[in-house]
Amino acid sequence: MMDSAVGKANILLVDDQPENLLALEVILADLNQNILKANSGKEALKCLLENDVAVILLDVQMPGMDGFETARLIRQRRQCHYTPIIFLSAHFTEDVHAAQAYALGAVDYLIKPFVPEILRTKVSVFVDLYKKGEEIKLQANRLREAEMRENAATIEAHKRELQHKELERVLLEQRSRELEQANNLKSQFLANMSHEIRTPMNGIIGMAELLLAGHLDSEQREFACIIRDSSHTLLTIINDILDISKIEAGKLVLENTNFDLLALVEGTSDILADEAQSKGLQFTTFVDPEMPRYLIGDSIRLRQILLNLLSNAIKFTEKGTVTLRVKPLDQNHPVNVLFEVEDTGIGIRSEHQDNLFNPFTQVDGSLTRKYGGTGLGLSICKRLSDLMSGELTVESTSGKGSIFSFKVPLQRSVKPVEEICYLNLLKGLRVLVVDDDELTRSIVSTYVSSQAMICSTAGDAEQALELMKKAAAHSIAFDVAIVDLRMPGMDGFQLGKAIADDPELNSTKLILCTAFDERGQGEEAISQGFAAYLTKPLKQSRLYEIIARVTENTNGDGKVDEVPVVRTRSTNSETILIAEDNPLNQQVAILQLEQLGYKTEIVSTGKQVLEALKQSDYLLILMDCQMPEMDGFEATQHIRTEEALSGKHTPVVGLTAQAMLGDREKCLEAGMDDYLSKPVTMEELQSIIDKWSPQTTITT
């Protein structure tokens, strides 16, 4: 009835490419409306002078007058002020471009290529709205003619108010439905793509690890390393895209747990130490001794922020230093913690700093080609910081380096029952720190002094010998000397020999410290009289432990007694059941577990898992979540139901290639004990087996 009263609506298509206009006309043909075409902004404006239109499909990039300028001029015409405009663009642009479009009154912003059905649906909605508006106008005219004989002014005002509210309500409801549908489609698409990409990635990374664990010549090892490292790089990009999507959708939830801040910082530095060493950089970490060690927060996301900031610092620094400093800004509850990452790299020009935390952005287009990367890392760090109620800022000078500062409030945690007993042995020890680098001397002396040790420092070997001789002459010889290997003039080995050859000095225990760990260097240090060997970045806990051990626990040949670590496993229930339907992933899992010393059995469906458990007991089940016939979630629920009657419990670890929000929760709700996201490394496998296998113990 509305169609007969209003007639066909006009749809205006604006694009400088004739083939695009033709394609759009074909897509919208089923709507049975009038199609008006313009190949430029000027022609579009002329067309609007002669026609009323229901909706405008406007290309962004056109020669002469682009889409944004055309929209601005359209909005200046009163009769076109509220005409819906859908922008079309062939290029992914920054958020600011989409914001510019919506500021000009756009109702949508689509990236080519788009799904024809979606475009047709969107246009159909606005055509219907236009016709409804036109019908309302016709009805209003009829009412106005009748109401002119009565109280025309009052009724007209009331009618317009109702009309406006109705249009607003319809538009709001429609827009809300479209946004919800778009978000759901986006989430499902990301989940599917994650699964499809991670499944073959699991095979690539797993096989590369197995190759590297075997006997390869140097060239073969180099090729295998390239495969492994390239795969991990691709995986990082996938994870970054998933993270930014989850953050934008508001679906990333922090998981606050108790954690050891010192272990977090030192473990993070371990991951990047080799990369810094390969570039010849001095990589230093400093955790203020006043910093509370045990805290509550999302340690995984904290590590993600630190890894990103540190890896960027190393990537963009060709020579000099990269330093991570952690200190408390107060002693409140929660304590405000400051993480600072400082480098001597290329720096960032001031005009680029405002856009630094925008997604898909690097400080200069040329850097993308030289250094690589997606430009997502800092954007993710900034948004994670905001989620933690923190603040991420940067200070930088082009050509001199940068300082990224991350402030975050963290709750204090209860100190573990196990106390580090060797710290009581350090009080009163006299320690000499010998290093030509002032920053390293400052860090080590701060660590040493914080444990009530008496610390002196020397900038070179000559000064060290002078201090040691003076101390020996006053019968207050140093208990320990921490000696840097690479110093100008006399290096660490030469200084060590000079001390060992001097009867007045050789009672001092020597610890060699170097930023460039090389094969055989530790053995050489021990053979030349050093009691221990440390690599930079120095770990606070390791430093204290080594000082205590070299002063209290030495054997006859001067070497530090090592605490033996022996891994023992029971000979029963050694078999691990692998539930996986993908043949490649089956093969990878079998080879990985065999490499780790475990027997395996393979099944391909959840039903086969239940049948296998009737025949045998297993150390652990690696359960793929997506399998035919019966998936991993349902199979686990059946297992837990049976175990409720038998009293047994077999650990089940979920395996998924999606890595999306809620995957871990789904696994735990189904009764699984833990969760791993593909691709899975042998280190992750061993860690999860150690965690959930009651037969595996570590003895010292």
Side-chain angles (χ1 to χ4, degrees):
M1 181 177 181
M2 184 179 293
D3 284 346
S4 61
V6 177
K8 293 183 178 181
N10 292 324
I11 302 171
L12 177 58
L13 312 178
V14 187
D15 197 308
D16 62 309
Q17 299 294 327
E19 59 271 20
N20 291 345
L21 290 172
L22 179 60
L24 289 170
E25 185 177 11
V26 171
I27 291 173
L28 302 177
D30 290 345
L31 299 181
N32 194 27
Q33 305 298 324
N34 293 328
I35 304 297
L36 307 178
K37 294 181 286 185
N39 56 24
S40 68
K42 290 182 178 180
E43 189 172 336
L45 294 172
K46 181 179 178 182
C47 183
L48 289 171
L49 289 173
E50 302 170 356
N51 301 278
D52 290 329
V53 298
V55 62
I56 302 171
L57 275 63
L58 181 56
D59 186 40
V60 172
Q61 294 182 325
M62 296 186 294
M65 184 188 301
D66 66 12
F68 294 138
E69 181 62 23
T70 303
R72 190 174 294 108
L73 294 174
I74 290 173
R75 289 296 182 234
Q76 292 177 3
R77 299 183 68 245
R78 183 176 60 81
Q79 58 268 43
C80 298
H81 196 69
Y82 296 104
T83 302
I85 299 175
I86 299 176
F87 279 97
L88 306 176
S89 176
H91 300 282
F92 184 84
T93 56
E94 298 176 2
D95 291 346
V96 67
H97 295 148
Q100 183 180 358
Y102 289 121
L104 291 169
V107 295
D108 215 330
Y109 188 93
L110 301 179
I111 305 298
K112 303 174 185 176
F114 39 76
V115 180
E117 290 78 6
I118 294 177
L119 177 63
R120 188 159 45 244
T121 300
K122 291 178 182 289
V123 172
S124 176
V125 167
F126 292 110
V127 168
D128 290 341
L129 287 174
Y130 171 81
K131 289 186 175 183
K132 185 171 184 179
E134 291 299 306
E135 179 67 20
I136 291 173
K137 289 179 183 178
L138 291 174
Q139 293 175 0
N141 289 333
R142 298 188 188 104
L143 285 173
R144 187 163 51 249
E145 292 173 1
E147 291 162 359
M148 286 179 64
R149 294 184 295 270
E150 300 176 4
N151 193 350
T154 303
I155 296 176
E156 179 66 16
H158 182 63
K159 185 268 303 180
R160 287 179 177 175
E161 183 180 356
L162 289 176
Q163 178 185 0
H164 183 68
K165 287 183 177 180
E166 175 66 10
L167 286 171
E168 282 188 341
R169 184 188 65 80
V170 172
L171 284 170
L172 185 61
E173 289 180 355
Q174 180 62 30
R175 183 64 178 159
S176 178
R177 287 194 295 270
E178 288 179 352
L179 288 173
E180 183 178 0
Q181 182 183 17
N183 279 333
N184 291 336
L185 288 172
K186 180 179 178 182
S187 297
Q188 187 60 46
F189 172 77
L190 288 171
N192 292 338
M193 288 304 298
S194 174
H195 181 272
E196 294 304 318
I197 294 173
R198 284 173 178 271
T199 297
M201 286 292 292
N202 186 58
I204 296 170
I205 292 178
M207 287 300 184
E209 279 195 337
L210 291 166
L211 280 174
L212 290 168
H215 300 289
L216 304 175
D217 61 34
S218 59
E219 185 178 46
Q220 292 169 336
R221 184 166 297 277
E222 179 183 0
F223 292 163
C225 284
I226 291 172
I227 294 172
R228 180 198 60 190
D229 295 344
S230 299
S231 300
H232 280 296
T233 299
L234 178 57
L235 187 61
T236 299
I237 294 172
I238 295 168
N239 290 336
D240 282 349
I241 294 173
L242 290 174
D243 278 344
I244 200 71
S245 299
K246 286 187 282 187
I247 292 171
E248 287 181 342
K251 294 183 178 181
L252 192 145
V253 180
L254 298 177
E255 185 175 348
N256 293 323
T257 58
N258 298 312
F259 71 95
D260 182 341
L261 178 67
L262 189 61
L264 173 70
V265 172
E266 293 178 349
T268 302
S269 67
D270 275 348
I271 294 172
L272 299 170
D274 287 344
E275 185 179 351
Q277 178 184 327
S278 68
K279 297 185 70 173
L281 302 177
Q282 180 175 316
F283 183 24
T284 307
T285 62
F286 172 69
V287 180
D288 193 321
E290 296 297 319
M291 182 70 228
R293 179 169 176 176
Y294 302 102
L295 300 166
I296 298 174
D298 193 327
S299 59
I300 294 175
R301 296 302 180 182
L302 280 172
R303 182 189 297 270
Q304 182 178 357
I305 292 174
L306 293 180
L307 278 172
N308 197 286
L309 295 179
L310 286 169
S311 61
N312 275 351
I314 293 170
K315 180 197 296 185
F316 295 113
T317 302
E318 296 302 325
K319 62 180 180 179
T321 62
V322 172
T323 305
L324 168 62
R325 289 183 291 268
V326 186
K327 61 183 179 182
L329 295 175
D330 51 51
Q331 292 297 333
N332 298 334
H333 297 273
V335 60
N336 288 297
V337 185
L338 173 63
F339 298 86
E340 285 186 333
V341 175
E342 182 175 3
D343 64 66
T344 58
I346 61 174
I348 306 163
R349 293 202 297 269
S350 58
E351 62 266 27
H352 291 147
Q353 293 179 23
D354 290 341
N355 295 325
L356 194 60
F357 298 111
N358 291 334
F360 302 103
T361 300
Q362 287 193 333
V363 296
D364 193 337
S366 63
L367 296 183
T368 304
R369 294 187 294 272
K370 182 176 181 182
Y371 294 98
T374 61
L376 284 173
L378 287 178
S379 176
I380 292 171
C381 289
K382 174 64 174 171
R383 299 189 190 198
L384 288 176
S385 169
D386 293 342
L387 283 174
M388 295 177 183
S389 300
E391 181 183 9
L392 179 61
T393 58
V394 61
E395 297 177 20
S396 184
T397 303
S398 181
K400 294 185 178 180
S402 306
I403 301 176
F404 283 85
S405 300
F406 171 46
K407 303 173 187 176
V408 61
L410 295 170
Q411 294 287 347
R412 296 169 184 262
S413 176
V414 179
K415 187 181 297 186
V417 176
E418 310 86 28
E419 188 58 54
I420 303 175
C421 59
Y422 59 72
L423 291 180
N424 299 325
L425 305 174
L426 303 179
K427 185 176 180 180
L429 291 177
R430 293 178 54 79
V431 178
L432 176 63
V433 179
V434 188
D435 198 308
D436 62 305
D437 180 68
E438 183 179 356
L439 176 60
T440 302
R441 290 201 308 272
S442 173
I443 290 174
V444 178
S445 64
T446 301
Y447 285 166
V448 168
S449 300
S450 70
Q451 297 301 320
M453 291 179 272
I454 303 167
C455 184
S456 299
T457 63
D460 54 43
E462 289 75 12
Q463 186 182 3
L465 289 171
E466 182 180 347
L467 289 173
M468 293 183 72
K469 288 176 181 179
K470 285 182 179 180
H474 290 84
S475 300
I476 49 172
F478 290 101
D479 298 293
V480 177
I482 302 170
V483 179
D484 185 44
L485 173 59
R486 297 190 178 183
M487 295 185 291
M490 186 184 298
D491 66 18
F493 283 138
Q494 292 170 330
L495 175 58
K497 186 176 186 307
I499 295 171
D501 291 343
D502 192 328
E504 295 181 356
L505 307 180
N506 60 16
S507 63
T508 299
K509 304 298 182 183
L510 302 180
I511 300 174
L512 185 68
C513 183
T514 179
F516 303 97
D517 189 21
E518 298 175 0
R519 185 182 297 275
Q521 208 168 66
E523 291 81 356
E524 183 180 357
I526 299 300
S527 69
Q528 293 200 23
F530 286 86
Y533 173 75
L534 291 172
T535 57
K536 299 177 183 177
L538 285 176
K539 297 181 181 178
Q540 186 186 113
S541 56
R542 182 65 173 158
L543 175 67
Y544 294 152
E545 179 187 4
I546 289 298
I547 292 175
R549 288 168 64 184
V550 301
T551 54
E552 293 294 322
N553 300 316
T554 58
N555 55 32
D557 59 7
K559 297 181 182 178
V560 179
D561 289 335
E562 294 293 335
V563 180
V565 179
V566 181
R567 184 181 301 275
T568 60
R569 297 193 184 100
S570 168
T571 56
N572 298 320
S573 300
E574 275 287 313
T575 302
I576 293 176
L577 180 63
I578 303 167
E580 168 66 68
D581 63 308
N582 183 279
L584 175 59
N585 287 340
Q586 288 178 352
Q587 186 178 5
V588 170
I590 291 171
L591 292 172
Q592 286 179 325
L593 290 169
E594 287 180 352
Q595 187 76 26
L596 294 173
Y598 296 96
K599 300 175 184 176
T600 59
E601 284 187 20
I602 284 285
V603 294
S604 300
T605 70
K607 288 183 178 180
Q608 291 175 3
V609 172
L610 302 181
E611 291 298 321
L613 284 172
K614 293 178 182 178
Q615 307 298 323
S616 304
D617 292 330
Y618 297 96
L619 181 68
L620 181 138
I621 302 173
L622 295 176
M623 182 83 75
D624 186 38
C625 294
Q626 293 184 330
M627 292 184 292
E629 295 186 29
M630 180 187 292
D631 63 25
F633 300 119
E634 186 180 351
T636 303
Q637 290 171 346
H638 282 289
I639 292 171
R640 297 307 181 221
T641 301
E642 291 297 323
E643 289 179 344
L645 302 175
S646 67
K648 295 194 304 181
H649 182 85
T650 303
V652 178
V653 176
L655 298 175
T656 177
Q658 289 190 339
M660 294 297 292
L661 178 71
D663 284 350
R664 182 175 185 274
E665 289 74 13
K666 288 180 184 177
C667 292
L668 298 181
E669 288 172 4
M672 297 180 186
D673 298 277
D674 217 323
Y675 154 88
L676 283 174
S677 176
K678 298 174 184 177
V680 181
T681 66
M682 286 195 291
E683 182 180 358
E684 290 172 331
L685 274 177
Q686 185 64 72
S687 176
I688 210 77
I689 294 170
D690 288 345
K691 180 179 179 181
W692 293 108
S693 168
Q695 288 79 25
T696 302
T697 60
I698 303 293
T699 61
T700 59

